[in-house]
Amino acid sequence: MEQSSSHASGPQKAANGGIIHTAKSRRASLIAAIFLMATSAIGPGFITQTATFTSKLGAAFAFGILASILIDFVVQLNIWRIVTLTRMRASDIANAAIPGSGYVLAVLVIIGGLFFNIGNIGGTGLGLNALFGLDVKWGGAISALISIGIFLSKRAGVAVDRFIVSAGVMMIALTVYVAYVSSPPLGEALRQTILPDTINFATITTIVGGTVGGYITYSGAHRLLDRGMVGVENLSAVNRAALTGIAATGLMRYVLFLAILGVIASGVVIDVSGKGANPAAQAFQAAAGNLGLRLFGLIFWAAAVTSVIGAAYTSVSFLTIFKQDMSEHARNLATVVFIAFSLLCFVLMTTTPAAMLVFVGGLNGLILPIGLTIFIYAGWARSDLMGGYHYPRWLLILGALTCALTWYMAANSVGPIFALLSK
């Protein structure tokens, strides 16, 4: 009996070990997807936009933050759920739902991702400039090469996940510190979160685009797809991950807003239009002196370089609509080319990095309603793509209302958003 028991324990231990390994792998995949979405949503564009709009609108910008969080909630829950259930990339879902629309969506996301990445590389340059006094163009070039090195590594997938999680944790901790130091007027901020003195649709469209527009919408969902977190059996875990990611990014957005509002409320005037102006850097320096400037540099660089990786990774994932059998190695090489081309555009462009970072948020805010419309239609009319799964109608109704709102905001914001390029 003892011998029999001993022999039985070997396979059992192996099975238990396999279960534990699978659980750890699933948890790591979910955490990576959460942070990829979060660091993409809290990139240099969002930080610059927050500083720019808070300096213009003051506490009233809190309403824009709230609107972006609510829209984020509806968009991400629908996108993550549909990608998980269909086991397909966004462009493939679009093509299956409305033939030909997947190619349109892919082109729009890739173009939006390219513009975003030009701004992201500019953001890395601004970060290293604040941190070390390095020229912005050189800082962008060095950071782009670091991102390329990550994708050229033998274990690119693991390297991307670990880098993004580490940088994300650091960003959150440092921003909370600066918000504490700046002592913002919390009562006024909370009041105007619900009852703003003014509502600016171009501002809301830009901040929504900078946090959930364009490629950002699909970053976490595509990461889960690549990690095999698909099907009804993983749906509850995916929903929890989406909600956790939305909560984390929402909290981070509000804390960052409070940090800058504290500076504005103290009477500091931030230059948002001068050539080479870096509004967020001015706010952090005013809040915590030279230490604040260095902390800003570190936060901004981490936000920017993770966004470079996220924008390139997600944009290239849409190329598979044109070449279905594209291998992971080929995608990594395409990602390297995408980053290199973004760097070239950044070096040659004349628009200031800060203005570009605000513009790309607006551009991606214009792209958002197109993809969301396709996904909501798929949820309503193509349950066959999800194996007959009965999609929650309340979530689709919220999605349809959000979709209509994003179309309305986009229609009212086209002119002001493209005017940013002239700055």
Side-chain angles (χ1 to χ4, degrees), residues 118-144 275-278 281 296 300-301 343 346-347 349 351-354 357:
I118 295 169
N120 288 336
I121 290 174
T124 64
L126 289 174
L128 291 183
N129 175 263
L131 191 57
F132 301 118
L134 197 63
D135 179 79
V136 172
K137 298 285 186 183
W138 277 108
I142 291 169
S143 302
K275 189 170 179 63
N278 191 341
F296 161 80
F300 207 70
W301 181 83
L343 173 60
F346 165 68
V347 170
M349 78 175 189
T351 303
T352 63
L357 285 168

Side-chain angles (χ1 to χ4, degrees), residues 197-395:
D197 291 342
T198 181
I199 297 175
N200 186 307
F201 282 113
T203 294
I204 296 174
T205 302
T206 299
I207 205 71
V208 166
T211 56
V212 72
Y215 83 93
I216 298 170
T217 310
Y218 312 101
S219 58
H222 279 196
R223 194 64 182 159
L224 287 176
L225 191 63
D226 283 344
R227 287 285 181 251
M229 292 290 294
V230 293
V232 176
E233 64 273 19
N234 286 306
L235 192 56
S236 59
V238 167
N239 283 338
R240 284 196 302 273
L243 289 170
T244 302
I246 293 163
T249 55
L251 180 63
M252 178 69 173
R253 290 175 205 172
Y254 207 79
V255 167
L256 178 66
F257 157 71
L258 289 175
I260 295 169
L261 180 63
V263 172
I264 303 297
S266 70
V268 174
V269 177
I270 293 178
D271 175 20
V272 298
S273 59
K275 189 170 179 63
N278 191 341
Q282 297 170 50
F284 274 61
Q285 187 171 25
N290 284 331
L291 174 62
L293 181 63
R294 301 291 179 259
L295 289 178
F296 161 80
L298 195 55
I299 292 169
F300 207 70
W301 181 83
V305 78
T306 51
S307 292
V308 168
I309 292 169
Y313 167 82
T314 309
S315 298
V316 167
S317 73
F318 276 80
L319 287 177
T320 56
I321 192 68
F322 304 105
K323 185 175 172 53
Q324 293 289 339
D325 60 346
M326 197 173 189
S327 67
E328 185 174 356
H329 178 68
R331 289 212 313 270
N332 284 341
L333 290 179
T335 306
V336 167
V337 173
F338 189 88
I339 296 173
F341 184 69
S342 303
L343 173 60
L344 177 64
C345 293
F346 165 68
V347 170
L348 297 176
M349 78 175 189
T350 55
T351 303
T352 63
M356 176 61 81
L357 285 168
V358 177
F359 164 75
V360 294
L363 176 64
N364 281 278
L366 300 179
I367 293 171
L368 172 63
I370 298 171
L372 186 56
T373 299
I374 296 169
F375 266 75
I376 296 303
Y377 170 76
W380 276 111
R382 296 302 306 271
S383 62
D384 58 304
L385 296 176
M386 296 174 275
Y389 174 80
H390 184 67
Y391 204 93
R393 286 297 182 256
W394 66 269
L395 193 52

Side-chain angles (χ1 to χ4, degrees), residues 397-416:
I397 291 170
L398 284 178
L401 292 173
T402 301
C403 193
L405 176 62
T406 56
W407 275 114
Y408 176 78
M409 291 193 304
N412 282 277
S413 309
V414 174

Side-chain angles (χ1 to χ4, degrees), residues 64-253:
I65 299 287
L66 176 63
S68 76
I69 294 170
L70 294 177
I71 291 171
D72 195 3
F73 169 79
V74 177
V75 172
Q76 295 288 12
L77 272 185
N78 275 296
I79 299 293
W80 283 40
R81 179 181 286 263
I82 293 174
V83 168
T84 299
L85 291 169
T86 59
R87 305 169 185 256
M88 293 190 289
R89 296 187 186 282
S91 48
D92 294 316
I93 295 169
N95 258 359
I98 305 173
S101 64
Y103 300 111
V104 176
L105 181 62
V107 169
L108 288 173
V109 170
I110 291 168
I111 291 173
L114 176 63
F115 273 98
F116 224 120
N117 232 23
I118 295 169
N120 288 336
I121 290 174
T124 64
L126 289 174
L128 291 183
N129 175 263
L131 191 57
F132 301 118
L134 197 63
D135 179 79
V136 172
K137 298 285 186 183
W138 277 108
I142 291 169
S143 302
L145 291 175
I146 290 173
S147 302
I148 287 171
I150 289 173
F151 279 102
L152 287 178
S153 67
K154 290 182 178 179
R155 301 185 66 198
V158 175
V160 168
D161 290 349
R162 288 179 179 172
F163 183 84
I164 284 175
V165 171
S166 301
V169 170
M170 179 182 69
M171 284 164 53
I172 293 169
L174 294 178
T175 306
V176 168
Y177 167 74
V178 175
Y180 173 77
V181 171
S182 73
S183 301
L186 284 173
E188 181 66 8
L190 290 173
R191 181 185 72 81
Q192 298 218 42
T193 300
I194 307 298
L195 299 170
D197 291 342
T198 181
I199 297 175
N200 186 307
F201 282 113
T203 294
I204 296 174
T205 302
T206 299
I207 205 71
V208 166
T211 56
V212 72
Y215 83 93
I216 298 170
T217 310
Y218 312 101
S219 58
H222 279 196
R223 194 64 182 159
L224 287 176
L225 191 63
D226 283 344
R227 287 285 181 251
M229 292 290 294
V230 293
V232 176
E233 64 273 19
N234 286 306
L235 192 56
S236 59
V238 167
N239 283 338
R240 284 196 302 273
L243 289 170
T244 302
I246 293 163
T249 55
L251 180 63
M252 178 69 173
R253 290 175 205 172

